[in-house]
Amino acid sequence: MTGEPVRDPDNLNHIFEIWNRLRTDSNFNLRSAALTLAHGAYENGITGSLLTLDDAQVEVALASYNDAGYGVKVARIYRAIEVYNKQARGK
């Protein structure tokens, strides 16, 4: 899906490699965050287009990345940015 090799989450060398890339490679970090959020949404029963989530679903998806408090805080920022993203998508 990403063109990246599959990593073993139990292999400490793989974990260190991912951690190091997250710290030093902004593009990798952003791609990883998007996949992590999509996976978190799926794990919480949210399916379909991530562009059509309601506010509660956005909070759940974002909370899966860290915790519920994070989801609520970051959802406010997401909603503000989404106003402009919708315009850019012509919606």
Side-chain angles (χ1 to χ4, degrees):
M1 185 169 168
T2 64
E4 295 286 337
V6 175
R7 300 289 187 227
D8 178 357
D10 296 320
N11 182 320
L12 292 179
N13 290 324
H14 290 185
I15 293 169
F16 178 75
E17 179 185 339
I18 296 296
W19 175 79
N20 197 41
R21 285 192 66 196
L22 289 170
R23 288 184 321 104
T24 61
D25 183 342
S26 296
N27 289 325
F28 178 76
N29 191 310
L30 289 172
R31 287 191 317 271
S32 298
L35 290 172
T36 299
L37 292 171
H39 179 72
Y42 174 80
E43 289 288 308
N44 284 283
I46 300 168
T47 59
S49 173
L50 296 178
L51 298 175
T52 60
L53 302 181
D54 63 31
D55 286 348
Q57 291 172 316
V58 168
E59 289 180 12
V60 168
L62 291 169
S64 70
Y65 190 73
N66 200 333
D67 63 32
Y70 176 85
V72 171
K73 289 177 188 174
V74 177
R76 287 186 228 138
I77 298 166
Y78 168 84
R79 284 189 282 276
I81 293 170
E82 183 58 10
V83 169
Y84 302 101
N85 285 341
K86 279 183 182 178
Q87 292 173 3
R89 290 193 307 268
K91 303 265 177 187

